C-alpha cells in the first residue's frame, strides 16, 4: 500500500489549485449571486485538459487515472463548486459514457469535441415523476425507418442550457420496464428540441440546471448508444463513476470549510484571545479534519478500485454518501465558527453550506447510496 501521490498527480493538484485560486476565486461570489455560468473559465479549464481527463488521448482526452481526476476536481470545487459540477458532468457522465459504450462513429463525431472541452455535454435521465426511481421514465423513443422519434420532458439537467450535446435516456419499449430504456446522443438545435428556463437554486448557482423538452425530435439510429434496451444499465454504471466525481466535489467544499475555519478562528478576537484558543472551537476544527481525511481516503480508494477495473460501485456510493455528509457538517460548523458574519453573504462561507447540500441529493441521494451499499453487502 502506498499513500504517496505520483509526480504527475502532484503536478495536476498544483495546476488545479493555482488555477482555482488565481482565476476562479476572484469572481466566485458574484457569479453565485448573479447566476453567471463560468464560460470563460470552462474554456481555460479545457485548455488545461480538465474536461476530458480520463478519456483516452485517442479521443482527445488526457488518458489520466481516476485519482488524478478526483484530485483536480477537489481543488476546483474547493474554490468554485459550480465550475466543479460542470467539469464533473462532462468528464464522468458524458465522456466516460461515450468512451465505454459509444460506437466509433459516435466517438469520432462527438467524443473528440467533448473531451477537449470544445463542446460541453449534459446527461438527462431524471423526469418529473422519475427522480430516485429513475427507470419510471415516460420519455419515449419510437423507431421509424432509420431514425427514432423522441417525445417527453427531462428535468434537473445540469449543463442543460450551456451544453452542445445531450445524453438522453428514453423508453423504446415501455412494457419492458427498465429493460426497455435506451440511450441516445442528441444535438442542440434539432427540430422539436427546446430548452427550459434556468432553475433558481439554493446552491451551485453559477452552474445551470433546466428542463429539456422533446417534441417528436428525429434522432438518427446511428445516435443510439449501445443497443436498444441497454440504456438503464448504461445509466447506472455511468453513475457509479459519476458518484466518485461528486464525492470529490463534496470533499473540495469540506476542505474549503476547514481552511476558512482555521483562518478565521486564528484572527477573530473575542474575550481578548483568538477564537482558536477555545477548546470548543478546536474540537469543531479537529472533527472536520478527521472526517475530511477519512472522506479523502474513501474517495481515493473508490477511484483506485475503478482504475484497477475492479467492482467499485458500492465504494463509489460510500465515498459519495460520506463525503457529502462531511461537506454538509463541515460547512455548517464553518458558518457557526464565523458567527453572525458567517451568516452574511459577503463572508463567502454561507455559499459553502448552500453548495454542500446538493452533493447529498444529485447523482443519487444519500438514501439511494445506502440502498446501493446495502444491496451490495447483503447479496
Ligand atoms: N451498473 C450496471 N447495472 C446495474 C447497476 C450498476 N451499477 N446497478 C444495477 N444494475 C442493473 C441490475 O443488475 C438490474 O439488471 P438485471 O435485472 O439484468 O440484473 C438492473 O440494472 C435494474 O437494477 P435494479 O433492480 O437494482 O433497479 P432499481 O429500479 O431498483 O433501481 C437504483 C436501482 C439504485 C435505485 C437506481 O434507480 C438509482 O441509482 N437511482 C438514482 C438515480 C440517480 O442517481 N439519478 C441521478 C440523476 S443524474 C444527475 O443527478 C446528474 C447531475 O445533474 C449532476
Amino acid at each position: 500500500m502506498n499513500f504517496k501521490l505520483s509526480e504527475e498527480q502532484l503536478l495536476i493538484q498544483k495546476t488545479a489549485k493555482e488555477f482555482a485560486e488565481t482565476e476562479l476565486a476572484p469572481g466566485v461570489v458574484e457569479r453565485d449571486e448573479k447566476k453567471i455560468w463560468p464560460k470563460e473559465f470552462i474554456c481555460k479549464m479545457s485548455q488545461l485538459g480538465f474536461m476530458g481527463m480520463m478519456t483516452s488521448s485517442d479521443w482527445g482526452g488526457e488518458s489520466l487515472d481516476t485519482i488524478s481526476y478526483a484530485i483536480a476536481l477537489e481543488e476546483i470545487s474547493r474554490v468554485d463548486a459550480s465550475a466543479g459540477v460542470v467539469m464533473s458532468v462532462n468528464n464522468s457522465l458524458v465522456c466516460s459514457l461515450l468512451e465505454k459504450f459509444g460506437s466509433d462513429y459516435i466517438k469520432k463525431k462527438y467524443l473528440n469535441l467533448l473531451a477537449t472541452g470544445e463542446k460541453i455535454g449534459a446527461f438527462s435521465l431524471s423526469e418529473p415523476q422519475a427522480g430516485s426511481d429513475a427507470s419510471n421514465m415516460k420519455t419515449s423513443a419510437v423507431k421509424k425507418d432509420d431514425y427514432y422519434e423522441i417525445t417527453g420532458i427531462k428535468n434537473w439537467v445540469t449543463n442543460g442550457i450551456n451544453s452542445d450535446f445531450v445524453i438522453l435516456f428514453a423508453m423504446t419499449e415501455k412494457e419492458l420496464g427498465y429493460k426497455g430504456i435506451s440511450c441516445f446522443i442528441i444535438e442542440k438545435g434539432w427540430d422539436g428540441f427546446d430548452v427550459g428556463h434556468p432553475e433558481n437554486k439554493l446552491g451551485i448557482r453559477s452552474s445551470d440546471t433546466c428542463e429539456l423538452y422533446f417534441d417528436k425530435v428525429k434522432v438518427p439510429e446511428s445516435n443510439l448508444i449501445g443497443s436498444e434496451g441497454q440504456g438503464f444499465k448504461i445509466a447506472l454504471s455511468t453513475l457509479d463513476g459519476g458518484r466518485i466525481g461528486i464525492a470529490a466535489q463534496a470533499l473540495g467544499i469540506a476542505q474549503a470549510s476547514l481552511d476558512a475555519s482555521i483562518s478565521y478562528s486564528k484572527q477573530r478576537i473575542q474575550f481578548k484571545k483568538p477564537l482558536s484558543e477555545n477548546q470548543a472551537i478546536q474540537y469543531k476544527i479537529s472533527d472536520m479534519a478527521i472526517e475530511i481525511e477519512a472522506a479523502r481516503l474513501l474517495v481515493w480508494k473508490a477511484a483506485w478500485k475503478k482504475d484497477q477495473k475492479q467492482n467499485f460501485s458500492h465504494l463509489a456510493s460510500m465515498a459519495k454518501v460520506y463525503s457529502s455528509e462531511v461537506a454538509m457538517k463541515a460547512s455548517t460548523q464553518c458558518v457557526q465558527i464565523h458567527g453572525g458574519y458567517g451568516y452574511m453573504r459577503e463572508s463567502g462561507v454561507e455559499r459553502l453550506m448552500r453548495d454542500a447540500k446538493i452533493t447529498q441529493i444529485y447523482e443519487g441521494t444519500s438514501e439511494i447510496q445506502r440502498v446501493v451499499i446495502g444491496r451490495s453487502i447483503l447479496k
Side-chain angles (χ1 to χ4, degrees):
M1 190 176 288
N2 182 0
F3 291 102
K4 199 165 167 259
L5 296 180
S6 68
E7 289 299 317
E8 185 179 53
Q9 287 162 341
L10 287 170
L11 181 64
I12 288 163
Q13 188 176 44
K14 183 167 174 278
T15 308
K17 185 175 160 67
E18 280 173 8
F19 169 77
E21 287 173 357
T22 56
E23 303 268 351
L24 289 174
V28 67
V29 172
E30 188 189 2
R31 289 196 299 277
D32 169 73
E33 185 85 26
K34 298 183 180 161
K35 298 191 283 180
I36 301 168
W37 200 75
K39 188 176 171 55
E40 164 194 354
F41 303 101
I42 298 301
C43 287
K44 290 185 180 169
M45 283 161 65
S46 306
Q47 286 156 13
L48 291 171
F50 287 167
M51 299 309 280
M53 290 186 75
M54 296 166 293
T55 308
S56 156
S57 50
D58 296 345
W59 302 110
E62 300 296 320
S63 296
L64 289 165
D65 61 3
T66 312
I67 295 183
S68 302
Y69 167 61
I71 289 170
L73 193 45
E74 178 187 337
E75 288 301 333
I76 297 293
S77 305
R78 193 171 62 82
V79 172
D80 185 344
S82 291
V85 73
V86 178
M87 174 177 162
S88 177
V89 167
N90 201 70
N91 274 275
S92 327
L93 298 188
V94 179
C95 290
S96 292
L97 182 151
L98 293 179
E99 185 165 22
K100 190 164 171 199
F101 299 104
S103 62
D104 276 0
Y105 163 79
I106 286 179
K107 288 184 199 170
K108 268 189 205 129
K109 187 161 181 200
Y110 299 106
L111 184 53
N112 269 305
L113 294 168
L114 288 158
T116 53
E118 220 171 301
K119 302 282 182 193
I120 298 295
F123 177 91
S124 69
L125 175 69
S126 305
E127 297 186 7
Q129 76 298 335
S132 292
D133 187 7
S135 67
N136 185 33
M137 64 180 65
K138 288 183 182 160
T139 297
S140 63
V142 180
K143 185 82 200 285
K144 314 249 171 173
D145 305 325
D146 59 351
Y147 65 91
Y148 291 85
E149 194 176 79
I150 298 199
T151 302
I153 299 176
K154 292 285 172 182
N155 68 348
W156 303 319
V157 184
T158 305
N159 296 347
I161 295 168
N162 288 286
S163 53
D164 304 281
F165 308 134
V166 177
I167 303 290
L168 173 87
F169 297 89
M171 281 285 183
T172 36
E173 276 194 82
K174 179 84 188 157
E175 55 287 357
L176 294 182
Y178 73 80
K179 291 185 174 153
I181 294 172
S182 303
C183 178
F184 301 88
I185 182 159
I186 319 261
E187 296 182 26
K188 282 280 183 63
W190 282 358
D191 274 356
F193 179 3
D194 279 321
V195 176
H197 296 295
E199 301 288 358
N200 194 12
K201 296 174 294 187
L202 174 72
I204 55 161
R205 287 169 58 81
S206 83
S207 69
D208 77 70
T209 307
C210 68
E211 289 192 327
L212 298 178
Y213 309 106
F214 302 89
D215 182 14
K216 295 190 178 164
V217 179
K218 278 186 180 176
V219 177
E221 62 183 357
S222 51
N223 282 37
L224 172 72
I225 298 172
S227 51
E228 263 192 35
Q230 206 193 343
F232 196 54
K233 289 192 182 186
I234 293 178
L236 293 188
S237 73
T238 302
L239 282 165
D240 286 342
R243 288 164 184 167
I244 297 176
I246 300 306
Q249 182 200 26
L251 197 50
I253 298 169
Q255 185 64 50
S257 306
L258 175 61
D259 296 345
S261 301
I262 293 171
S263 149
Y264 185 76
S265 67
K266 281 184 172 174
Q267 71 179 36
R268 172 75 168 163
I269 308 291
Q270 289 290 278
F271 304 105
K272 300 195 180 83
K273 60 180 183 185
L275 286 186
S276 60
E277 288 183 19
N278 295 294
Q279 222 172 34
I281 302 297
Q282 290 167 5
Y283 281 7
K284 287 187 197 301
I285 288 177
S286 301
D287 284 347
M288 282 186 209
I290 295 165
E291 290 172 5
I292 289 170
E293 191 67 27
R296 188 171 291 113
L297 289 175
L298 256 181
V299 174
W300 288 4
K301 181 165 179 191
W304 178 83
K305 274 252 185 197
K306 177 169 173 282
D307 290 334
Q308 300 303 307
K309 314 255 180 287
Q310 294 175 17
N311 180 6
F312 66 96
S313 176
H314 71 288
L315 262 172
S317 288
M318 285 180 181
K320 182 181 182 286
V321 82
Y322 189 69
S323 301
S324 61
E325 287 177 4
V326 168
M328 199 64 237
K329 271 168 76 181
S331 57
T332 307
Q333 290 295 23
C334 175
V335 171
Q336 188 70 20
I337 289 171
H338 283 70
Y341 176 60
Y343 200 67
M344 302 299 137
R345 283 278 164 116
E346 64 268 24
S347 72
V349 296
E350 54 79 45
R351 178 175 54 87
L352 298 172
M353 205 171 133
R354 290 187 286 105
D355 286 353
K357 189 62 212 168
I358 191 61
T359 65
Q360 295 182 296
I361 299 173
Y362 60 18
E363 297 204 23
T365 60
S366 295
E367 291 75 11
I368 289 297
Q369 305 310 324
R370 287 184 164 90
V371 169
V372 172
I373 297 162
R375 284 182 185 175
S376 156
I377 292 171
L378 296 166
K379 79 171 179 229

Coordinates of all heavy atoms in Angstrom, one line a residue, residues 85 89 93 123 125-126 131-135 156-158 178-179 232-233 236-237 239-240 243 246 313 362-365 368-369 371-372 375, ligand 1:
V85 N -19.0 21.1 -10.8 CA -20.1 20.2 -11.3 C -20.1 20.2 -12.9 O -20.4 19.2 -13.5 CB -21.5 20.5 -10.7 CG1 -22.1 21.7 -11.3 CG2 -22.4 19.3 -11.0
V89 N -19.7 16.6 -14.7 CA -20.7 16.0 -15.6 C -20.1 15.7 -16.9 O -20.2 14.7 -17.5 CB -21.9 17.0 -15.8 CG1 -22.8 16.6 -16.9 CG2 -22.8 17.0 -14.5
L93 N -20.0 11.8 -16.6 CA -21.3 11.3 -17.1 C -21.4 11.4 -18.7 O -22.3 10.7 -19.2 CB -22.5 12.2 -16.5 CG -22.6 12.1 -15.0 CD1 -23.9 12.8 -14.6 CD2 -22.6 10.7 -14.5
F123 N -26.3 15.3 -19.3 CA -26.7 14.0 -19.1 C -28.2 14.1 -18.6 O -28.4 14.6 -17.5 CB -25.8 13.3 -18.0 CG -26.1 11.9 -17.5 CD1 -25.6 10.8 -18.2 CD2 -26.9 11.7 -16.4 CE1 -25.8 9.6 -17.7 CE2 -27.2 10.4 -16.0 CZ -26.6 9.3 -16.6
L125 N -31.4 12.1 -17.4 CA -32.0 10.9 -17.0 C -33.3 11.2 -16.3 O -34.4 10.6 -16.6 CB -31.0 10.1 -16.1 CG -31.5 8.9 -15.4 CD1 -31.7 7.7 -16.5 CD2 -30.5 8.4 -14.3
S126 N -33.3 12.1 -15.3 CA -34.5 12.4 -14.5 C -35.6 13.0 -15.2 O -35.5 13.7 -16.2 CB -34.1 13.3 -13.3 OG -33.0 12.9 -12.6
G131 N -37.2 10.5 -10.3 CA -36.0 11.1 -9.7 C -35.2 9.9 -9.3 O -34.5 9.2 -10.0
S132 N -35.3 9.5 -8.0 CA -34.6 8.3 -7.5 C -35.1 7.1 -8.2 O -34.3 6.2 -8.5 CB -34.9 8.2 -6.0 OG -34.3 9.2 -5.2
D133 N -36.4 7.1 -8.5 CA -37.0 5.9 -9.3 C -36.7 6.2 -10.8 O -37.7 6.4 -11.5 CB -38.4 5.8 -8.9 CG -39.1 4.6 -9.5 OD1 -38.4 3.7 -10.1 OD2 -40.3 4.5 -9.4
A134 N -35.4 6.1 -11.1 CA -35.1 6.6 -12.5 C -35.7 5.8 -13.6 O -35.9 6.4 -14.7 CB -33.5 6.6 -12.6
S135 N -36.0 4.6 -13.4 CA -36.5 3.8 -14.6 C -37.9 4.1 -14.9 O -38.4 3.6 -15.9 CB -36.2 2.3 -14.3 OG -37.1 1.8 -13.3
W156 N -34.1 18.8 -14.2 CA -32.9 18.9 -13.3 C -31.6 18.6 -14.1 O -30.7 17.9 -13.7 CB -33.0 18.0 -12.1 CG -34.2 18.3 -11.2 CD1 -34.7 19.5 -10.9 CD2 -35.0 17.3 -10.6 NE1 -35.8 19.3 -10.1 CE2 -36.0 18.0 -9.9 CE3 -35.0 15.9 -10.6 CZ2 -37.0 17.3 -9.2 CZ3 -36.0 15.3 -9.8 CH2 -37.0 16.0 -9.1
V157 N -31.6 19.1 -15.4 CA -30.4 18.7 -16.2 C -29.3 19.7 -16.0 O -29.4 20.9 -16.4 CB -30.8 18.7 -17.7 CG1 -29.6 18.2 -18.6 CG2 -32.0 17.8 -17.9
T158 N -28.2 19.3 -15.4 CA -27.0 20.1 -15.2 C -26.4 20.4 -16.6 O -26.3 19.4 -17.4 CB -26.0 19.4 -14.3 OG1 -26.6 19.1 -13.1 CG2 -24.8 20.3 -14.0
Y178 N -37.5 -1.3 -17.1 CA -36.1 -0.8 -17.3 C -35.4 -1.4 -18.4 O -34.5 -0.8 -19.0 CB -35.3 -0.8 -16.0 CG -34.8 -2.2 -15.6 CD1 -33.7 -2.8 -16.2 CD2 -35.5 -3.0 -14.6 CE1 -33.3 -4.1 -15.8 CE2 -35.1 -4.2 -14.3 CZ -34.0 -4.8 -14.9 OH -33.6 -6.1 -14.5
K179 N -35.8 -2.6 -18.8 CA -35.2 -3.3 -20.0 C -35.6 -2.7 -21.3 O -35.1 -3.0 -22.4 CB -35.5 -4.8 -20.0 CG -34.9 -5.5 -18.8 CD -35.1 -7.0 -18.8 CE -34.2 -7.6 -17.7 NZ -34.7 -8.9 -17.2
F232 N -30.7 1.6 -19.3 CA -30.7 1.7 -17.8 C -29.4 1.3 -17.2 O -28.8 1.9 -16.3 CB -31.9 1.0 -17.2 CG -32.2 1.4 -15.8 CD1 -32.4 2.7 -15.5 CD2 -32.2 0.5 -14.8 CE1 -32.7 3.1 -14.2 CE2 -32.5 0.9 -13.5 CZ -32.7 2.2 -13.2
K233 N -28.8 0.2 -17.8 CA -27.6 -0.3 -17.2 C -26.4 0.7 -17.6 O -25.5 0.9 -16.8 CB -27.2 -1.7 -17.8 CG -28.2 -2.7 -17.2 CD -27.7 -4.2 -17.4 CE -28.7 -5.1 -16.8 NZ -28.3 -6.5 -16.9
L236 N -26.8 3.5 -15.0 CA -26.4 3.1 -13.6 C -24.9 2.9 -13.6 O -24.2 3.4 -12.6 CB -27.1 1.9 -13.1 CG -28.6 2.1 -12.9 CD1 -29.2 0.9 -12.1 CD2 -28.9 3.3 -12.1
S237 N -24.3 2.3 -14.6 CA -22.8 2.0 -14.5 C -22.1 3.4 -14.7 O -21.0 3.6 -14.1 CB -22.3 0.9 -15.4 OG -22.4 1.4 -16.7
L239 N -23.3 6.3 -13.7 CA -23.4 7.0 -12.4 C -22.5 6.5 -11.3 O -22.0 7.2 -10.4 CB -24.9 6.9 -11.9 CG -25.9 7.8 -12.6 CD1 -27.3 7.4 -12.4 CD2 -25.6 9.3 -12.2
D240 N -22.1 5.2 -11.4 CA -21.1 4.7 -10.4 C -19.8 5.6 -10.5 O -19.3 6.0 -9.5 CB -20.7 3.3 -10.8 CG -21.7 2.3 -10.4 OD1 -22.6 2.6 -9.6 OD2 -21.7 1.1 -10.9
R243 N -20.4 9.3 -9.3 CA -20.5 9.4 -7.8 C -19.1 9.7 -7.2 O -19.0 10.4 -6.2 CB -21.2 8.2 -7.2 CG -22.7 8.3 -7.6 CD -23.5 7.0 -7.4 NE -24.9 7.2 -7.8 CZ -25.8 6.3 -8.0 NH1 -25.5 5.0 -7.8 NH2 -27.0 6.6 -8.4
I246 N -18.7 13.4 -7.7 CA -19.5 14.3 -6.8 C -18.9 14.2 -5.4 O -18.8 15.1 -4.6 CB -21.0 13.9 -6.8 CG1 -21.6 14.1 -8.2 CG2 -21.8 14.7 -5.8 CD1 -21.4 15.5 -8.8
S313 N -18.7 -0.1 -7.5 CA -20.0 0.5 -7.3 C -20.3 0.9 -5.9 O -20.6 2.1 -5.6 CB -21.0 -0.4 -7.9 OG -22.3 0.1 -7.7
Y362 N -27.9 15.1 -5.7 CA -27.8 14.7 -7.1 C -26.9 13.5 -7.3 O -26.2 13.1 -6.4 CB -27.5 15.8 -8.0 CG -26.3 16.7 -7.9 CD1 -25.2 16.3 -7.2 CD2 -26.2 17.9 -8.6 CE1 -24.0 17.1 -7.2 CE2 -25.1 18.7 -8.6 CZ -24.0 18.3 -7.8 OH -22.9 19.1 -7.8
E363 N -27.0 12.9 -8.5 CA -26.4 11.6 -8.8 C -26.7 10.6 -7.8 O -25.8 9.7 -7.5 CB -24.9 11.9 -9.0 CG -24.6 12.8 -10.2 CD -23.3 12.7 -10.9 OE1 -22.7 11.6 -10.8 OE2 -22.9 13.7 -11.6
G364 N -27.9 10.6 -7.3 CA -28.4 9.6 -6.3 C -28.3 10.2 -4.9 O -27.2 10.5 -4.4
T365 N -29.5 10.3 -4.2 CA -29.5 10.9 -2.9 C -28.7 10.0 -1.9 O -28.4 8.8 -2.2 CB -30.9 10.9 -2.4 OG1 -31.4 9.5 -2.4 CG2 -31.8 11.8 -3.3
I368 N -30.5 6.7 -1.6 CA -30.2 5.8 -2.7 C -28.8 5.2 -2.6 O -28.6 4.0 -2.8 CB -30.5 6.5 -4.0 CG1 -32.0 6.8 -4.2 CG2 -29.9 5.6 -5.2 CD1 -32.9 5.5 -4.3
Q369 N -27.8 6.0 -2.1 CA -26.5 5.4 -2.0 C -26.5 4.3 -1.0 O -25.9 3.2 -1.1 CB -25.5 6.4 -1.6 CG -25.4 7.7 -2.4 CD -25.2 7.4 -3.9 OE1 -24.6 6.4 -4.3 NE2 -25.9 8.2 -4.7
V371 N -29.0 2.4 -0.3 CA -29.7 1.2 -1.0 C -28.6 0.5 -1.8 O -28.5 -0.8 -1.7 CB -30.8 1.7 -1.9 CG1 -31.3 0.6 -2.8 CG2 -32.0 2.3 -1.1
V372 N -27.8 1.2 -2.5 CA -26.8 0.5 -3.4 C -25.8 -0.2 -2.5 O -25.5 -1.4 -2.7 CB -26.0 1.6 -4.2 CG1 -24.9 0.9 -5.0 CG2 -27.0 2.2 -5.2
R375 N -27.6 -3.3 -0.7 CA -27.8 -4.4 -1.6 C -26.5 -5.2 -1.9 O -26.4 -6.4 -2.0 CB -28.4 -3.9 -3.0 CG -29.8 -3.6 -2.9 CD -30.4 -3.1 -4.2 NE -31.7 -2.7 -4.1 CZ -32.4 -2.2 -5.1 NH1 -31.9 -2.0 -6.3 NH2 -33.7 -1.8 -5.0
Ligands
LIG1 N1 -24.3 -0.9 -13.2 C1 -24.8 -1.7 -14.1 N2 -26.0 -2.3 -14.0 C2 -26.6 -2.1 -12.8 C3 -26.1 -1.4 -11.8 C4 -24.8 -0.8 -12.0 N3 -24.3 0.0 -11.0 N4 -26.9 -1.4 -10.7 C5 -28.0 -2.2 -11.1 N5 -27.8 -2.6 -12.4 C6 -28.7 -3.5 -13.1 C7 -29.2 -4.6 -12.3 O1 -28.4 -5.7 -12.3 C8 -30.5 -4.9 -13.0 O2 -30.3 -5.7 -14.1 P1 -30.7 -7.3 -14.2 O3 -32.1 -7.4 -13.9 O4 -30.3 -7.7 -15.6 O5 -29.8 -7.9 -13.1 C9 -31.0 -3.5 -13.5 O6 -29.8 -2.7 -13.5 C10 -32.0 -2.9 -12.6 O7 -31.5 -2.8 -11.3 P2 -32.3 -2.6 -10.0 O8 -33.4 -3.7 -10.0 O9 -31.4 -2.5 -8.9 O10 -33.1 -1.2 -10.3 P3 -34.0 -0.3 -9.4 O11 -35.1 0.2 -10.2 O12 -34.3 -1.0 -8.1 O13 -33.0 1.0 -9.2 C11 -31.5 2.4 -8.1 C12 -31.8 1.0 -8.6 C13 -30.1 2.1 -7.4 C14 -32.4 2.9 -7.0 C15 -31.3 3.3 -9.3 O14 -32.6 3.6 -9.8 C16 -30.7 4.6 -8.9 O15 -29.4 4.7 -8.8 N6 -31.5 5.7 -8.7 C17 -30.9 7.1 -8.5 C18 -30.9 7.8 -9.8 C19 -29.9 8.8 -9.9 O16 -28.8 8.7 -9.4 N7 -30.2 9.9 -10.6 C20 -29.2 10.9 -10.8 C21 -29.6 11.7 -12.0 S1 -28.3 12.4 -12.9 C22 -27.7 13.7 -12.0 O17 -28.0 14.0 -10.9 C23 -26.6 14.4 -12.8 C24 -26.4 15.8 -12.4 O18 -27.2 16.7 -12.6 C25 -25.2 16.2 -11.7

